[in-house]
Every structure is written in C-alpha cells, then in structure tokens.
C-alpha cells in the first residue's frame, strides 16, 4: 500500500516514447487506461496480503474487482476486505467497487470464463493455475499467475553459518512452511554440511508446536514457534515423501503429524529436518509447503547451480556467501523470476506475468500508444503522388520506395547519400511524368 501511494501515480503517468528518423515529425505517448472489471483468485496462506494486494492495485489502476478467496479463509478475508469498502465509503466512493465471492473450485468458471472480466490475477498452486489459464482462453482474458515454488538457498563455501542460520530457519519455518517464497531446499557445500546439519538439528528440536489460544496450566498465553497448518489433508502425502527420502538414505528428524495435548484434532505437523537429500529423490522435486528443512550437499558451484535449476519451478532463489560479487554471478545463472543475495524472499515472480511493482500495476491497465503530429501546422503525413492510388508507374514507384528505404535504413553514410540522390531522381521523374499525363489529358479533351 505504501509503495502504491509513493510510486503508483508516477508508474501510471503517460510516457513519451522515442521514435525514428522517418517519423521525426511525430511524437508518441503511452497511456495506461483502466480495464474495467478485473478478477482475482487468491490462496489461503496469507489472507490479508493475498486479498489486499490485488484489490488495492486494481482500484489504484481505476478498476473494480471481484475477489474469490479460498473457502478456507472466507471469514477472515471478508473481515479484511470490509476495511477497504469502509474506506471507499468514507472517501465518497462506491463500496461496491470491491466484491468478494466464495465458491467451491469447480464453480470458479463463472469468474474465469466471464466475458465481463478483463484480467485475472491468480495466486495458488500450479495445478489450479493451469486450469485458470485454460479457462481464461474462453475470451482470451489476460492472466497473471503467481504459482508455487521449490525455492533453493545456495550457501557458498566459506559462508558464516552461524551468521545466517536465523535467516534460513525463518525462511523454512515461517508460517509453518506455508509460504510461496519460503526456502524449500538448502544447498550447502559438502565441507560445511555436517556443521549446518548440527545447527538445524539443535534449533529444530527446540521449536514449540501448538496454538497460542490453547489452554495453559500457567494461565498465560504460551510461546509458540509453529502453529497449525491449514488442514490435515496433505499429511499422508507429506509423511510418505519424507519416508521415501529416509528409505533412500536421508536422516530424518521428526517427519510426522504432531499430536497436540489439548487439540487432538488440530492440523499440526512436526518441524522436520531431512538430509542429505539428492536431486533424484521425490522430496527434492515436489513443493512441500510444510515445515520441512531439506539439506542438499554439493561439491562444485556448477553442481550447486545444476541442483538449484533442477526442478520445474521458477519462483525464486537466494544465494549466501562472503563474496557478494561471486554470489551475484551465481544468482544470474539461476532460472527463476527473483533472486536475493544474503536474504530470502523479495517479490513475486512465478508462473507468468508479474504480481506487484510497476509491471504488476501496469498489467491491470490497457496500455495504449497514441501518436500525434509534433508540428501540425508545418508538416503532416501525406501520400507522395508517385505512390498514390491508382499507381501511375510500377517502375518509378519501386525506384522511389526502394531508395527511400536505402536513405533511411542503409548502413553507412555513403550508401544513404546514394539513396538520397536516387530518391531525388525518382521524384524528379515522377514530376515530369505527372506533367506529361496532365498534358495528354488536356490534348485528349480537346
């Protein structure tokens, strides 16, 4: 919201674009116009952010918006969006500019296939994103897809592990791993693997799982590190893929659902450590979206880059190391939409299109190019007589056109000058031919 207020107006201001020599008497401008009604289908993992971001950007771009949130967070999303509609009402705008709908996924075609929706923003899984994109082809509706990821964090040799351990822990376990831009793979040099494994094992064992709302014998709110996941629906699959890694040689700490003392039906999963993990393991290729730290050793930088690029995902990545220039060189070779150096999570950029920033804001507009005369009183576009319909002479019209192109676009000044001379000659012939045709017309009339 702060970025929109500080930079949004400038991003959507008309822009002057450079032209070429042939059109030097023109000036071009690009304007960003509202699309009308846009749609957004957003996931459940960050109800406030995922709802407000597309709503605020859409309104700022001059649109109204229909937001479909996940059925898992309809209550919280409705409450968050009500704050925006109240603000619209207080500022004298129609609160109906923002509509929230909730339905089962199979009913979402009412939104994705509607001819009234001029753009769709989707935040969610790759599987559902493909369905949204396919449905949007019904009316060729533009789509921005922010999909999942398998984000790697490459730790270059010589990195101070203790210095960055807290960043990696946060990157893995924030929001219980239900984080689109969370760290899903930690790629560490083999010489530092054991040290990093020991750091993670010690810290993970101390993580507290539960709910701050659960009863406490001490009569105060308990300190919790990892809360509940959205549901238990994926627990069986998570335990299966972790067990597969263990059977293929990886050490596993925890790796199962967590049975809470007071909330036996809660959706808690134990913070988990798995390593060493190889690229051919299923756990290294699937997005887990869970509190699971994967440690993957490498020997050379080339191998580290190959591991990082070894999945079909391309959301983001991070590179950590003592030499920022080396880290930057590695970052440039990673196949993803964003990379942070000595940090994790910077902005969204997966699937296709862009969500957020100038590119994301402009995607919610109709980008229109407008060209006008620079000096309308002096010069405007006209058709040379030699090219006017009906064409009088194919030979002379060809000489004129070919030499005009040579003058404007040929390589080297000499070639261009020869084109100019030939163009003048062709024009002279055209004038003479025009006079002769007029004389013949007069004689024929007499």
């Amino acid at each position: 919201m702060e970025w929109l207020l500080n930079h949004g107006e400038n991003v959507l201001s008309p822009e002057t674009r450079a032209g070429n020599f042939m059109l030097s008497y023109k000036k071009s401008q690009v304007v960003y116009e509202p699309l009308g009604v846009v749609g957004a289908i957003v996931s459940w993992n960050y109800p406030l952010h995922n709802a407000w971001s597309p709503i605020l950007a859409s309104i700022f771009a001059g649109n109204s918006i229909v937001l479909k949130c996940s059925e898992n967070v309809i209550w919280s999303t409705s409450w968050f969006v009500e704050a925006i509609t109240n603000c619209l009402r207080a500022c004298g705008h129609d609160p109906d500019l923002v509509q929230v709908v909730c339905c089962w996924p199979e009913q979402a075609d009412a939104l994705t296939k509607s001819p009234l929706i001029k753009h769709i923003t989707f935040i969610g899984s790759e599987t559902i994103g493909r369905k949204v994109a396919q449905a949007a082809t019904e009316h060729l509706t533009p789509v921005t897809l922010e999909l999942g990821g398998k984000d790697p964090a490459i730790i270059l040799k010589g990195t101070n592990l203790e210095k960055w351990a807290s960043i990696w822990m946060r990157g893995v376990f924030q929001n219980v791993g239900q984080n689109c831009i969370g760290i899903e793979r930690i790629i560490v040099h083999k010489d530092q693997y054991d040290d990093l494994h020991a750091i993670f094992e010690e810290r993970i064992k101390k993580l507290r799982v539960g709910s701050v709302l659960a009863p406490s014998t001490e009569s105060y709110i308990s300190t919790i590190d990892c809360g509940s996941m959205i549901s238990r629906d994926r627990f069986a699959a998570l335990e299966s893929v972790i067990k597969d890694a263990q059977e293929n040689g990886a050490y596993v700490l925890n790796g199962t659902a967590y049975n809470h003392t007071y909330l036996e039906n809660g959706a808690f999963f134990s913070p988990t450590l798995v390593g060493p993990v190889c690229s051919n393991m299923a756990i290294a290729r699937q997005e887990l979206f869970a509190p699971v730290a994967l440690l993957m050793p490498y020997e050379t930088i080339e191998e580290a880059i190959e591991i990082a690029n070894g999945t079909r995902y391309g959301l983001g990545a991070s590179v950590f190391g003592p030499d920022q220039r080396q880290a930057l060189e590695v970052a440039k070779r990673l196949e993803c939409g964003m990379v942070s150096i000595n940090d994790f999570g910077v902005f969204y950029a997966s699937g296709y299109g862009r969500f957020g920033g100038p590119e994301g804001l402009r995607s919610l507009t109709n980008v229109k190019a407008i060209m006008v005369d620079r000096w309308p009183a002096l010069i405007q576009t006209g058709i040379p007589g030699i090219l006017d319909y009906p064409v009088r002479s194919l030979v002379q019209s060809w000489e004129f056109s070919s030499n005009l192109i040579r003058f404007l676009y040929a390589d080297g000044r000499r070639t261009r000058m020869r084109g100019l001379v030939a163009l003048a000659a062709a024009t002279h012939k055209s004038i003479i031919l025009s006079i002769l045709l007029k004389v013949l017309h007069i004689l024929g009339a007499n």
Side-chain angles (χ1 to χ4, degrees):
M1 183 164 59
E2 183 179 8
W3 183 91
L4 281 173
L5 293 174
N6 292 337
H7 307 288
E9 188 172 355
N10 182 58
V11 167
L12 296 182
S13 297
E15 292 183 333
T16 299
R17 296 294 174 85
N20 55 33
F21 177 65
M22 186 175 183
L23 295 175
S24 58
Y25 65 98
K26 298 278 189 178
K27 57 181 179 180
S28 301
Q29 192 178 61
V30 173
V31 296
Y32 302 93
E33 300 178 338
L35 289 173
V37 182
V38 300
I41 302 174
V42 298
S43 58
W44 43 260
N45 55 326
Y46 288 103
L48 173 62
H49 171 272
N50 290 351
W52 276 26
S53 292
I55 289 175
L56 294 176
S58 298
I59 294 175
F60 198 96
N63 304 306
S64 58
I65 181 171
V66 179
L67 178 86
K68 181 212 169 299
C69 65
S70 167
E71 62 276 10
N72 291 304
V73 290
I74 180 60
W75 181 86
S76 59
T77 299
S78 298
W79 194 85
F80 293 142
V81 173
E82 187 177 359
I84 294 179
T85 56
N86 286 339
C87 288
L88 287 171
R89 186 180 293 107
C91 293
H93 301 295
D94 189 348
D96 288 340
L97 286 170
V98 180
Q99 298 291 328
V100 177
V101 298
C102 183
C103 63
W104 297 113
E106 54 268 20
Q107 298 170 314
D109 280 355
L111 183 64
T112 56
K113 291 187 176 182
S114 172
L116 303 177
I117 299 297
K118 302 305 180 184
H119 181 278
I120 298 172
T121 298
F122 174 80
I123 305 174
S125 70
E126 179 185 1
T127 301
I128 303 302
R130 290 180 182 274
K131 294 180 179 179
V132 170
Q134 184 176 5
T137 61
E138 181 90 5
H139 297 285
L140 298 179
T141 306
V143 179
T144 294
L145 299 178
E146 195 283 285
L147 306 178
K150 191 68 176 174
D151 287 15
I154 297 179
I155 302 174
L156 299 177
K157 186 177 182 180
T159 299
N160 185 333
L161 302 182
E162 292 289 350
K163 177 180 179 180
W164 301 111
S166 295
I167 294 288
W168 301 326
M169 285 289 293
R170 173 65 63 175
V172 173
F173 295 105
Q174 178 173 298
N175 204 31
V176 209
Q178 301 168 126
N179 187 6
C180 302
I181 54 175
I183 298 175
E184 289 249 347
R185 294 173 294 157
I186 299 177
I187 305 170
V188 59
H189 193 272
K190 66 181 185 64
D191 290 349
Q192 293 182 286
Y193 175 86
D194 290 340
D195 292 338
L196 184 62
H197 189 282
I199 292 173
F200 264 82
E201 184 172 28
E202 180 184 0
R203 289 198 174 203
I204 290 173
K205 286 180 178 179
K206 296 178 181 178
L207 293 180
R208 293 152 293 188
V209 181
S211 170
V212 295
L213 300 179
S216 171
T217 55
E218 293 82 8
S219 300
Y220 59 82
I221 294 177
S222 303
T223 301
I224 297 300
D225 299 299
C226 294
S228 172
M229 296 184 70
I230 191 65
S231 72
R232 301 176 66 92
D233 292 349
R234 297 188 301 112
F235 281 13
L238 280 171
E239 291 176 349
S240 176
V241 75
I242 292 171
K243 183 178 180 181
D244 175 76
Q246 187 174 33
E247 291 175 349
N248 283 279
Y251 165 82
V252 174
L253 172 64
N254 298 326
T256 61
Y258 178 84
N259 296 316
H260 195 281
T261 304
Y262 301 107
L263 302 170
E264 59 183 20
N265 295 320
F268 300 99
F269 199 88
S270 300
T272 298
L273 174 63
V274 183
V277 171
C278 301
S279 296
N280 59 357
M281 293 181 181
I283 200 170
R285 302 191 305 271
Q286 299 177 16
E287 181 184 25
L288 300 181
F289 222 58
V292 181
L294 302 185
L295 301 188
M296 305 180 70
Y298 72 90
E299 293 189 13
T300 66
I301 290 180
E302 291 297 324
E303 183 185 2
I305 294 171
E306 183 179 353
I307 293 172
N309 292 335
T311 73
R312 69 180 185 276
Y313 297 99
L315 178 55
S318 52
V319 183
F320 293 81
D323 185 342
Q324 183 163 298
R325 287 179 298 179
Q326 184 188 35
L328 183 59
E329 289 301 314
V330 173
K332 290 178 179 179
R333 298 178 60 187
L334 299 181
E335 298 169 358
C336 56
M338 59 181 180
V339 186
S340 54
I341 307 297
N342 292 329
D343 199 354
F344 89 97
V346 283
F347 56 88
Y348 287 95
S350 75
Y352 53 74
R354 286 295 181 263
F355 178 66
E359 295 80 7
L361 185 58
R362 288 173 175 175
S363 73
L364 296 168
T365 66
N366 175 44
V367 183
K368 179 184 290 184
I370 299 176
M371 181 178 289
V372 298
D373 291 312
R374 192 181 299 273
W375 307 289
L378 298 177
I379 182 172
Q380 292 181 307
T381 300
I383 304 299
I386 196 171
L387 300 178
D388 199 10
Y389 289 125
V391 176
R392 299 168 185 173
S393 169
L394 288 177
V395 174
Q396 291 190 16
S397 62
W398 169 253
E399 289 181 357
F400 181 91
S401 299
S402 60
N403 286 305
L404 176 63
I405 293 174
R406 184 181 304 168
F407 167 60
L408 292 173
Y409 303 113
D411 291 331
R413 293 184 180 180
R414 291 185 179 181
T415 306
R416 288 193 176 193
M417 289 305 299
R418 285 196 292 268
L420 178 61
V421 172
L423 179 63
T427 304
H428 182 68
K429 290 180 183 179
S430 173
I431 295 174
I432 294 176
L433 177 61
S434 178
I435 294 173
L436 288 175
L437 289 174
K438 288 182 179 180
V439 170
L440 290 173
H441 178 73
I442 293 173
L443 292 176
N446 293 333

